[in-house]
Amino acid sequence: MKEMMLWYEKSAERWEESLPIGNGSLGAMILGGAEEEILGLNEESVWSGYYKDKNNAKAADCLEEVRSLVFSGKNKEAERLIQNNMLGEYNESYLPLGNLKLKFAYGSGKGGKAEGYRRQLDLENAVAQVSYTCNEVHYQREYFASYPAKAIFVLLTADKPVMDFTISFISQLCLAVSAEDGALQVTGRCPEHVDPSYLPEREGSVVQGTKGMQVNAEFRVVSCDGQVREEGEMLHVSGASRCLLMLSAMRQPVLPDNMDYEALKAAHIQDYRSIYDKVELYLGEQKDLPTEERLELLKKGEEDNGLYGLFFQYGRYLLIASSREGSLPANLQGIWSWELRAPWSSNWTININTQMNYWHALSCNLEECLEPYIRFVERVSEEGKKTAAVNYHCRGSVAHHNVDYWGNTSPVGVPQGEKAGEDGCVNWAFWPMGGAWLTQEIFRAYEYSGDEEYLKNTAAPIIREAALFLNDWLVEYQGEWVTCPSTSPENQFRLPDGQITGLTYASAMDMAIVKEVFTHYCRICEILGTQDELYREICGKMPRLAPFRTGSFGQLLEWHEEYEEPEPGHRHASHLYGLFPAEVFAGDAKLTEACRVSLMHRLENGGGHTGWSCAWIINLFAVLKDGEKAYEYLRTLLTRSTYPNLWDAHPPFQIDGNFGGTAGIANMLVQDRGGSVTLLPALPAQFKEGYVKGLCIKGRKCVDISWKDGKETGHRIYDKE
């Protein structure tokens, strides 16, 4: 089998063609120019803002009136009341650190035309390279982001001592750069506020102030066999055949006493491969063609099964690169973002996107990468207690649509300096189910590990807080326990009077999350023998939770009754949550079929048009055991929603589609759902033969499977090491 490699015969012309490297906290996007190299740098803690309580005490005063309006059919009035009185300020933004520039000179009048150019990312070793020949001199640059060393290393070599280049740094942040002792020192402060990119540009969109995060970074020439001198705010290297750079930010690198490049690289590869090597997938040979050419040929109808295998392992690589123990979890762009006002603030959007980032962590043997997510959910749970108490006078913990570095869990929608939310924001901003959804992966981590100490000390406290809030949030209406007010993330419906809103009660997604969290909490109590008063209250309410309903053509209803949908092909498939990622509908043939009908209706009306949405569809069809449809949307994901560097396109770039796509391939090959394991549940005819090694199922087990002519030829289930 050929190497798992992304490679290109030209440098990147835009960020979506760059090659990403990362160590969980520090990331770089490599453009690889021969005359000018640009490394777009990110550090996970570079955020706008400062800790600020954005909870809204007025919200609790309006809650009963909102519920009364909804139950009276005055949904639009209830929406306006929420918009004007129950929201908080928008969250802050993840920011780019800046661009490190290496400007190369190739001798007076000789120019810098590169021949034999190659830019590559080796997924098996997490090492990137750029190589070319210019004026009969061969040049090579090698890059890796070391988790053990907490730094990025760039080794530049030439087969003659003629390298001549400058090193400079520019940033959209207010940072000072000084050159001293063979290094660029960068200091400054992040803005104390940055508006989300979807708000119109205005005075105050970016506020520098004095309260922002302090930034420190260093870009050092560690060793060089030529001359290194400082020139203003730049470094100038000349007469060199070998030069090693070390890039660090916001934390001290961890280096051995006698730093040796080969030893650093070996330690990096050993650390990385200890995770990456646990899963192997073969769907077909890797074609010896540049990656963007392979994508273009796929778009033209050619087959390339190996490309799906590459895409799968790239999704695993990206999570290892953006989520390691001690780091923050992967955000909307992983850790790679280059705009001051990034798309959707490059934060954690918890109505699908953050959760999707971790769908493949357990099944694809990446449990080491789940630790940042668990720590994140612990923090969200703690902050969410304040929001639950202040905004709703409820016990437990709640979080809404967005969370930022500062842990804000209140519903957003109010521009800084304003008193009310933006028109139309309620249908996405007011969704008090995000924190509860985050607990799903917390419980699954126990199912996969079987670790009762983790269950008792980590999972149980988090899930109890979510269950406690939902228990208090439910309201009795017409003999049923319902959520109110309720939305189905970002979707809307038309009221009988023609008005469009997203606000109602007991949406299908709400009720599926409630049922899932309650079920998980009850199971925890039974496993640990801790049946408390909350357990008894939940057991009393479960039989009267609002049921899931089907509509006029057999579809699962997204809301408590059948409404006309202005956008029947909406990108979210929130009402299908109970099918996947949850297991609420597992074993229920009627609801499973209603989900299938709903999914087909979505697609017939243009659904799945964003990358992450397409990835969700792959998983839904896999769970429905429809391999041909799952493959159709896997192919669609790569041909319609994938950039030349295999990043997912919403558009623009969002990493969730990469992670969801990887999870989808895993779910096509093995599923452990509803108490049973199924091998090759959604194997398409296209994947005629192949094998997979090291996928995980519950109970701390791994699975190897091989197949030929679409039929299993062997499998092995064994204990995870």
Side-chain angles (χ1 to χ4, degrees):
M1 186 171 71
K2 292 180 181 176
E3 297 172 317
M4 287 290 182
M5 187 88 68
L6 281 70
W7 68 276
Y8 307 83
E9 294 180 325
K10 61 181 182 179
S11 61
E13 297 179 356
R14 54 178 177 148
W15 294 113
E16 295 89 350
E17 297 174 1
S18 65
L19 293 177
I21 60 173
N23 65 9
S25 300
L26 186 62
M29 298 167 287
I30 302 163
L31 275 75
E35 293 192 16
E36 183 178 74
E37 168 67 286
I38 297 177
L39 297 176
L41 299 177
N42 291 97
E43 203 283 335
E44 62 174 0
S45 61
V46 178
W47 280 74
S48 65
Y50 52 93
Y51 186 81
K52 181 180 181 182
D53 189 345
K54 297 182 178 180
N55 294 310
N56 182 356
K58 290 195 307 180
D61 298 333
C62 299
L63 181 57
E64 290 309 313
E65 185 178 354
V66 165
R67 285 174 169 166
S68 177
L69 288 169
V70 169
F71 292 143
S72 300
K74 299 177 181 178
N75 307 59
K76 200 65 180 178
E77 290 180 39
E79 180 186 333
R80 283 192 287 269
L81 188 59
I82 291 173
Q83 178 180 319
N84 293 330
N85 297 280
M86 296 183 70
L87 304 179
E89 285 185 6
Y90 283 105
N91 283 348
E92 293 299 335
S93 298
Y94 178 53
L95 307 173
L97 179 60
N99 296 336
L100 190 72
K101 290 191 175 185
L102 310 180
K103 182 75 172 176
F104 297 90
Y106 295 97
S108 178
K110 293 184 179 179
K113 185 177 180 182
E115 298 176 342
Y117 180 94
R118 183 179 172 106
R119 179 170 54 101
Q120 67 182 42
L121 174 60
D122 175 3
L123 299 185
E124 295 175 351
N125 293 299
V127 175
Q129 287 184 347
V130 169
S131 61
Y132 55 91
T133 298
C134 183
N135 299 334
E136 300 181 345
V137 178
H138 184 69
Y139 296 87
Q140 180 171 293
R141 303 197 289 271
E142 188 167 77
Y143 322 71
F144 65 87
S146 170
Y147 177 72
K150 310 302 180 194
I152 290 174
F153 295 92
V154 182
L155 178 66
L156 301 95
T157 59
D159 59 11
K160 295 179 184 178
V162 295
M163 280 198 297
D164 188 340
F165 62 95
T166 57
I167 307 171
S168 61
F169 179 77
I170 61 170
S171 177
Q172 299 172 70
L173 307 180
C174 292
L175 303 179
V177 182
S178 62
E180 52 189 75
D181 299 327
L184 296 183
Q185 302 291 343
V186 178
T187 59
R189 205 172 278 282
C190 295
E192 63 181 40
H193 173 70
V194 173
D195 274 350
S197 60
Y198 43 82
L199 293 184
E201 186 78 29
R202 65 186 180 109
E203 186 178 351
S205 289
V206 178
V207 179
Q208 185 56 43
T210 59
K211 300 176 183 177
M213 174 86 69
Q214 183 71 39
V215 176
N216 296 284
E218 180 183 83
F219 314 124
R220 176 170 295 279
V221 178
V222 175
S223 63
C224 182
D225 63 2
Q227 292 184 328
V228 181
R229 60 185 184 272
E230 293 84 27
E231 295 181 355
E233 296 179 353
M234 297 191 304
L235 298 176
H236 188 172
V237 176
S238 60
S241 65
R242 190 177 190 277
C243 184
L244 176 60
L245 308 180
M246 180 177 70
L247 319 179
S248 59
M250 306 297 278
R251 65 185 69 194
Q252 188 71 28
V254 180
L255 304 174
D257 292 336
N258 298 310
M259 189 174 69
D260 173 77
Y261 176 75
E262 293 305 325
L264 285 166
K265 180 180 172 183
H268 155 70
I269 291 173
Q270 182 181 21
D271 167 75
Y272 170 76
R273 294 194 72 153
S274 69
I275 303 173
Y276 177 86
D277 282 354
K278 290 189 292 186
V279 173
E280 184 180 345
L281 174 65
Y282 178 81
L283 298 174
E285 287 296 313
Q286 296 301 316
K287 291 185 177 181
D288 192 19
L289 290 171
T291 305
E292 81 273 22
E293 288 187 27
R294 295 176 70 180
L295 276 172
E296 287 303 315
L297 289 171
L298 199 69
K299 291 176 184 177
K300 293 176 181 177
E302 291 199 15
E303 303 302 339
D304 188 350
N305 284 358
L307 187 56
Y308 300 115
L310 183 69
F311 180 81
F312 171 87
Q313 291 290 30
Y314 188 53
R316 295 182 69 245
Y317 164 85
L318 290 171
L319 193 63
I320 298 170
S322 61
S323 184
R324 292 295 301 272
E325 185 177 354
S327 79
L328 295 172
N331 62 41
L332 274 173
Q333 278 72 38
I335 51 171
W336 301 281
S337 182
W338 57 93
E339 297 180 63
L340 186 66
R341 296 178 68 197
W344 303 285
S345 301
S346 193
N347 63 14
W348 293 283
T349 304
I350 61 171
N351 69 4
I352 174 65
N353 314 93
T354 301
Q355 292 90 336
M356 183 181 284
N357 283 358
Y358 288 87
W359 282 356
H360 66 317
L362 292 167
S363 62
C364 294
N365 224 327
L366 297 167
E367 65 179 348
E368 295 91 343
C369 301
L370 189 62
E371 190 270 350
Y373 179 91
I374 294 171
R375 300 286 85 81
F376 170 77
V377 179
E378 284 182 324
R379 185 180 178 203
V380 169
S381 179
E382 198 60 33
E383 290 291 331
K385 293 178 188 178
K386 303 172 191 175
T387 303
V390 172
N391 285 39
Y392 308 124
H393 294 171
C394 287
R395 299 171 297 168
S397 175
V398 63
H400 295 75
H401 172 266
N402 287 121
V403 179
D404 61 14
Y405 178 83
W406 309 104
N408 291 300
T409 53
S410 59
V412 301
V414 179
Q416 190 178 58
E418 302 294 331
K419 295 182 179 179
E422 299 278 285
D423 287 344
C425 72
V426 170
N427 76 296
W428 56 265
F430 196 86
W431 189 66
M433 308 301 290
W437 184 354
L438 286 174
T439 69
Q440 180 188 77
E441 209 67 25
I442 300 298
F443 186 76
R444 289 181 73 240
Y446 162 71
E447 291 185 300
Y448 274 76
S449 70
D451 184 345
E452 286 199 13
E453 184 177 347
Y454 161 82
L455 182 69
K456 178 181 178 181
N457 297 326
T458 301
I462 294 171
I463 294 171
R464 188 181 194 281
E465 293 300 330
L468 192 58
F469 171 76
L470 294 176
N471 182 61
D472 285 7
W473 181 249
L474 289 172
V475 60
E476 195 169 10
Y477 180 65
Q478 295 183 344
E480 297 172 351
W481 289 105
V482 302
T483 56
C484 183
S486 170
T487 57
S488 190
E490 304 186 32
N491 202 2
Q492 296 180 290
F493 55 88
R494 197 182 306 277
L495 293 165
D497 63 4
Q499 293 188 93
I500 294 173
T501 185
L503 195 73
T504 181
Y505 67 90
S507 71
M509 188 181 210
D510 275 16
M511 300 315 300
I513 290 175
V514 170
K515 187 171 183 179
E516 179 182 47
V517 172
F518 281 2
T519 299
H520 287 169
Y521 184 69
C522 289
R523 280 188 61 189
I524 289 170
C525 290
E526 290 157 8
I527 292 166
L528 299 178
T530 56
Q531 291 94 327
D532 57 5
E533 181 60 31
L534 178 60
Y535 172 88
R536 289 186 283 275
E537 287 185 35
I538 286 172
C539 289
K541 288 181 178 177
M542 287 271 275
R544 289 199 292 129
L545 291 177
F548 303 99
R549 296 175 169 88
T550 55
S552 57
F553 55 91
Q555 82 278 24
L556 184 73
L557 291 184
E558 188 158 359
W559 298 279
H560 69 285
E561 62 182 82
E562 190 164 2
Y563 291 110
E564 179 188 346
E565 299 180 52
E567 190 183 352
H570 195 266
R571 60 194 175 276
H572 284 257
S574 303
H575 53 316
L576 308 187
Y577 177 91
L579 177 69
F580 183 88
E583 299 176 31
V584 173
F585 299 163
D588 190 317
K590 180 181 177 182
L591 288 178
T592 297
E593 175 60 15
C595 287
R596 188 194 67 78
V597 172
S598 290
L599 179 57
M600 294 306 298
H601 180 68
R602 270 282 198 273
L603 299 177
E604 288 161 4
N605 288 278
H609 50 274
T610 68
W612 62 262
S613 178
C614 192
W616 196 350
I617 289 164
I618 298 165
N619 285 277
L620 288 165
F621 276 125
V623 171
L624 289 167
K625 297 182 170 54
D626 189 336
E628 298 314 310
K629 280 291 184 183
Y631 171 72
E632 177 186 338
Y633 281 90
L634 175 60
R635 187 182 183 107
T636 298
L637 180 62
L638 267 71
T639 56
R640 189 176 66 187
S641 299
T642 298
Y643 289 116
N645 67 353
L646 297 189
W647 268 350
D648 169 68
H650 177 287
F653 163 53
Q654 278 189 196
I655 207 165
D656 40 26
N658 289 100
F659 296 149
T662 294
I665 293 172
N667 274 318
M668 292 164 75
L669 301 177
V670 64
Q671 293 175 26
D672 190 349
R673 300 174 55 80
S676 62
V677 176
T678 311
L679 305 183
L680 305 181
L683 186 71
Q686 181 64 34
F687 297 162
K688 187 172 162 182
E689 61 181 281
Y691 64 83
V692 66
K693 297 178 181 179
L695 290 180
C696 294
I697 56 175
K698 296 172 185 176
R700 202 158 185 82
K701 304 262 183 206
C702 290
V703 181
D704 298 348
I705 316 169
S706 59
W707 65 91
K708 189 172 183 179
D709 296 325
K711 304 285 187 181
E712 182 197 322
T713 57
H715 77 267
R716 183 169 73 104
I717 297 177
Y718 52 97
D719 291 336
K720 187 172 181 176
E721 294 180 1

